[in-house]
Amino acid sequence: QNPPSLLDSLIKMFMEPGYVPIENQLIPGQGGLQAFLILVALVSVPILLVTKPLLLKRQHEASPRFQALHDPEEGTAMDDVAHGGGHGHGEEFNFEEEMVHQMIHTIEYVLGCVSNTASYLRLWALSLAHAQLSEVFWEKTVVEVGLESANPFLIFICIGAWSLFTIGVLMGMESLSAFLHALRLHWVEFMNKIYFGDGH
């Protein structure tokens, strides 16, 4: 029995939620767990969208300045604030503006999560390309030239050429691509979660 493919499991997690064949399960109850994780991801989007504006609105309504504006018994405080007096003068809270601002951040975050996850598919594509190159090198050098000739000296030369191709092209390309992609994933996918170049 072949081990299940992690890439196929991730793709089918979204294409066929809740269904995982027995032979492809990594853990018991994997289908239900995947469906639950997808549900949590979908529910977190509206929570991310409305939680911050509602909390800011509640905090604003609990402030003394807001209560003074809506308390008829404190006309003096209301008049002071209306004329710009007092110590509570500040920016007005706009719920619609906060909702638009939070909507922009939510869309940016969701798209970032999707694009960051899709970025790892390039590693899968590179692994497929390198596997095909390795197969082509083996077929064209050792099998078609060396083994078909039945000449031990030529077989030795072909295996040496195949080894040079494998080390020079595959290992060199694999090491370079692994370094570059690790660097890119670190700076692009990881750093945008903690770093904001807003200046001072």
Side-chain angles (χ1 to χ4, degrees), residues 134 137-138 159-173:
S134 178
F137 288 158
W138 176 262
I159 291 178
W162 171 76
S163 301
L164 290 178
F165 284 140
T166 301
I167 295 175
V169 178
L170 296 181
M171 295 300 294
M173 289 173 57

Side-chain angles (χ1 to χ4, degrees), residues 25-195:
Q25 289 188 2
L26 298 175
I27 57 175
Q30 181 178 345
L33 179 60
Q34 290 180 356
F36 174 73
L37 293 177
I38 293 177
L39 181 62
V40 169
L42 294 177
V43 171
S44 64
V45 175
I47 294 177
L48 181 64
L49 177 62
V50 301
T51 301
K52 182 179 178 180
L54 291 178
L55 289 177
L56 291 177
K57 181 180 179 181
R58 181 180 178 183
Q59 181 180 1
H60 174 71
E61 292 177 352
S63 63
R65 180 171 178 267
F66 180 84
Q67 293 178 359
L69 284 173
H70 291 77
D71 191 353
E73 297 180 358
E74 296 187 6
T76 304
M78 183 175 61
D79 293 337
D80 290 341
V81 174
H83 290 86
H87 299 283
H89 186 68
E91 296 183 359
E92 291 291 336
F93 177 78
N94 193 329
F95 182 74
E96 291 78 10
E97 183 179 349
E98 287 294 334
M99 280 296 298
V100 172
H101 185 71
Q102 187 65 20
M103 185 182 300
I104 294 173
H105 280 286
T106 303
I107 294 174
E108 182 182 5
Y109 182 80
V110 172
L111 292 179
C113 290
V114 175
S115 63
N116 295 347
T117 304
S119 294
Y120 289 90
L121 294 178
R122 72 182 72 237
L123 302 179
W124 168 67
L126 285 174
S127 67
L128 288 181
H130 294 166
Q132 292 298 320
L133 282 175
S134 178
E135 185 177 352
V136 169
F137 288 158
W138 176 262
E139 291 289 337
K140 297 299 182 181
T141 56
V142 179
V143 176
E144 294 185 2
V145 179
L147 296 180
E148 291 183 358
S149 66
N151 187 346
F153 180 74
L154 186 58
I155 292 176
F156 178 78
I157 295 298
C158 290
I159 291 178
W162 171 76
S163 301
L164 290 178
F165 284 140
T166 301
I167 295 175
V169 178
L170 296 181
M171 295 300 294
M173 289 173 57
E174 190 70 38
S175 302
L176 182 61
S177 65
F179 168 74
L180 293 178
H181 285 293
L183 188 64
R184 180 191 178 278
L185 292 172
H186 176 74
W187 284 103
V188 178
E189 274 76 4
F190 178 71
M191 290 296 289
N192 64 1
K193 295 177 174 60
I194 59 175
Y195 174 75

